[in-house]
Amino acid sequence: MVGNEVTMLDHNHPLFLQARDAPGLVLIPIKLTGPENYALWSRTMKLAIQGKEKLGFVDRNCVKSKYRGKLAEQWNKCNAIVLSWIGTISSELMPSIVFASDAKKVWNDFQERFDRLNLTRIYHLLMEIAIMRQGTDTVTTYFSKMKDFWDELDILAPLSSCDCEEARPSIEFQLVHMVNFYADNCLSHKK
């Protein structure tokens, strides 16, 4: 049974690989180029990896130390495949991934290098929302653009999803803080 443990993995097991889970598979059409598209790339990549049921390799829920023998070898194989999926990056960033041994380390490295500009991106989104006008766009186009900005803002600065009474002060604080930021920074630029 020990020699057969990899072939006997249930399809819900984190180390289970389907035939279409191949290295080099392009999961998303966006290449990471740097801080300018990190938020979009990481969100899209995370969703794609989650769809492949391999999110544990980048969020550290699936660690090699949990497995022994053939399962440790299977972990290495899955990790290499996830590394190759994360490899949807510009050629300038390729050395960051080619010499890496752990998908989580690469994920954290990219986050540390490129996610530092979230506050700048939040400010930019608030500015775009403040100055956006329908102009010659159709209502549908205008609404879609505005919704895209708000959706990205929700990812970068999410409000609590808890609707319990204890969370209400936190949500109100975040909303007031965002409105004040908007009023102080975005509206003053319109004048």
Side-chain angles (χ1 to χ4, degrees):
M1 174 98 179
V2 172
N4 227 2
E5 58 191 357
V6 173
T7 57
M8 300 296 289
L9 291 174
D10 179 74
H11 74 282
N12 290 319
H13 193 282
L15 300 182
F16 178 78
L17 287 172
Q18 297 182 16
R20 62 181 182 261
D21 292 337
L25 179 67
V26 177
L27 295 184
I28 62 172
I30 304 161
K31 281 189 174 196
L32 175 63
T33 57
E36 62 278 355
N37 76 338
Y38 173 78
L40 180 63
W41 176 87
S42 66
R43 175 73 175 151
T44 309
M45 183 58 75
K46 207 169 195 178
L47 288 171
I49 292 171
Q50 185 176 21
K52 291 287 198 177
E53 298 183 30
K54 298 293 177 260
L55 193 57
F57 286 86
V58 296
D59 73 6
R60 210 30 137 195
N61 287 331
C62 185
V63 293
K64 186 176 182 179
S65 60
K66 288 183 179 180
Y67 305 104
R68 300 279 180 253
K70 293 285 185 187
L71 289 179
E73 291 175 28
Q74 183 71 7
W75 185 94
N76 285 335
K77 185 177 181 179
C78 291
N79 180 66
I81 289 172
V82 173
L83 266 171
S84 76
W85 293 342
I86 294 172
T88 310
I89 57 177
S90 68
S91 57
E92 294 83 26
L93 297 174
M94 196 54 72
S96 301
I97 201 166
V98 170
F99 301 110
S101 61
D102 188 326
K104 176 60 177 165
K105 287 179 184 175
V106 171
W107 191 265
N108 286 346
D109 177 48
F110 288 157
Q111 184 175 22
E112 185 178 315
R113 280 200 270 171
F114 304 129
D115 201 24
R116 295 187 187 274
L117 297 178
N118 268 357
L119 290 177
T120 304
R121 182 65 184 152
I122 290 168
Y123 174 79
H124 175 75
L125 287 169
L126 289 170
M127 288 291 295
E128 289 295 325
I129 290 166
I131 64 172
M132 187 170 204
R133 301 289 178 261
Q134 183 177 350
T136 58
D137 288 342
T138 66
V139 171
T140 303
T141 301
Y142 173 71
F143 174 79
S144 294
K145 287 178 185 177
M146 186 65 78
K147 184 175 180 333
D148 290 345
F149 287 140
W150 280 109
D151 287 348
E152 185 176 351
L153 185 61
D154 188 44
I155 295 298
L156 295 175
L159 295 175
S160 174
S161 61
C162 178
D163 61 356
C164 61
E165 194 61 37
E166 292 81 19
R168 192 171 307 273
S170 173
I171 294 169
E172 289 172 1
F173 174 80
Q174 287 179 338
L175 286 172
V176 167
H177 183 69
M178 197 172 288
V179 167
N180 287 338
F181 178 87
Y182 172 78
D184 293 344
N185 296 295
C186 298
L187 293 178
S188 65
H189 283 38
K190 286 174 58 178
K191 297 177 182 175

